[in-house]
Amino acid sequence: MFVGHLAVSLAAKRPRGNTAVSLVWFVLAANFIDLIWPLLLLAGVEVVAVDPGNTAFTHLDFVSYPWTHSLLMTVVWGALLAALAAWRGVPRHACWWIGALVVSHWVLDFITHRPDLPLWPGGDGRYGLGLWNSIPGTFAVEAVLWVGGIAAFLSVRRPRGAWGHVAFWSFVLVSTAMWAGSPFQAPPPDGRAIALFSLIGWIIVPWAYWIEKTSRPVQPLGSAA
């Protein structure tokens, strides 16, 4: 799931008290394990293989990724990121959201992945509902999440000026294009190429900062202009 993770990070701005917290924290949290995953691939700690037809939606076989994508480790990573946010002065209630967003990544992956997600490092069981076996089903579920996340964000923050619209809508369009085209792309050559390409994902962090700095809070109805 790609835009699904971005969707929950955008939607996390809507709850009361979160609108004043930088979008960077929510985008970082919801995508955190996918951002550190290529680093562990390059270090040889985790393994991915190219397997055309592994599922209808992806050519990748996630051979081993217990330190990023096991349920237990998402809880650990979530706690660590929430602690970092608290140390940086993020309000306590928002820190709980940050931790929960890290864990939400495993939950959304559980819906889409075939059974390849462990519960903890060293555990024998592998879990996943396999939505990726259906391209139409994957598009339908993620599209609902994506549209909902965009609408939730725009209900509390709006782009400000020309650059604000460029920042936000380019993020939406590029993310949508990458997601919509992903099942039709040629398989990558090997696991190292996957890891190197996945490092590009870190661009969402400064992009979220750009969106935050070029948007404004939405005034409640009846407030003074």
Side-chain angles (χ1 to χ4, degrees), residues 7 10-15 19 146-157:
L10 292 177
K13 287 285 284 186
R14 182 179 173 86
T19 55
W146 189 218
V147 172
I150 293 168
F153 178 83
L154 292 176
S155 71
V156 292
R157 289 192 76 85

Side-chain angles (χ1 to χ4, degrees), residues 50-195:
V50 179
D51 179 22
N54 185 270
T55 63
F57 204 83
T58 180
H59 302 299
L60 306 185
D61 179 8
F62 301 97
V63 178
S64 175
Y65 52 176
W67 300 105
T68 55
H69 282 73
S70 68
L71 178 58
L72 175 62
M73 289 307 300
T74 61
V75 173
V76 172
W77 290 118
L80 290 174
L81 190 61
L84 175 62
W87 178 66
R88 294 295 298 171
V90 174
R92 178 176 296 182
H93 70 274
C95 292
W96 282 103
W97 275 96
I98 289 167
L101 284 171
V102 178
V103 179
S104 79
H105 194 109
W106 192 94
V107 176
L108 293 179
D109 278 1
F110 171 75
I111 295 170
T112 54
H113 284 225
R114 68 182 181 85
D116 59 22
L117 292 160
L119 294 181
W120 61 83
D124 292 331
R126 297 292 183 270
Y127 303 91
L129 296 180
L131 180 62
W132 272 348
N133 288 314
S134 169
I135 292 178
T138 301
F139 279 146
V141 171
E142 283 206 76
V144 169
L145 289 173
W146 189 218
V147 172
I150 293 168
F153 178 83
L154 292 176
S155 71
V156 292
R157 289 192 76 85
R158 295 288 175 84
R160 174 171 45 83
W163 282 115
H165 285 280
V166 170
F168 182 75
W169 292 111
S170 64
F171 179 79
V172 170
L173 291 174
V174 170
S175 299
T176 301
M178 291 182 63
W179 163 65
S182 59
F184 310 110
Q185 295 173 355
D190 52 37
R192 180 174 176 79
I194 296 166

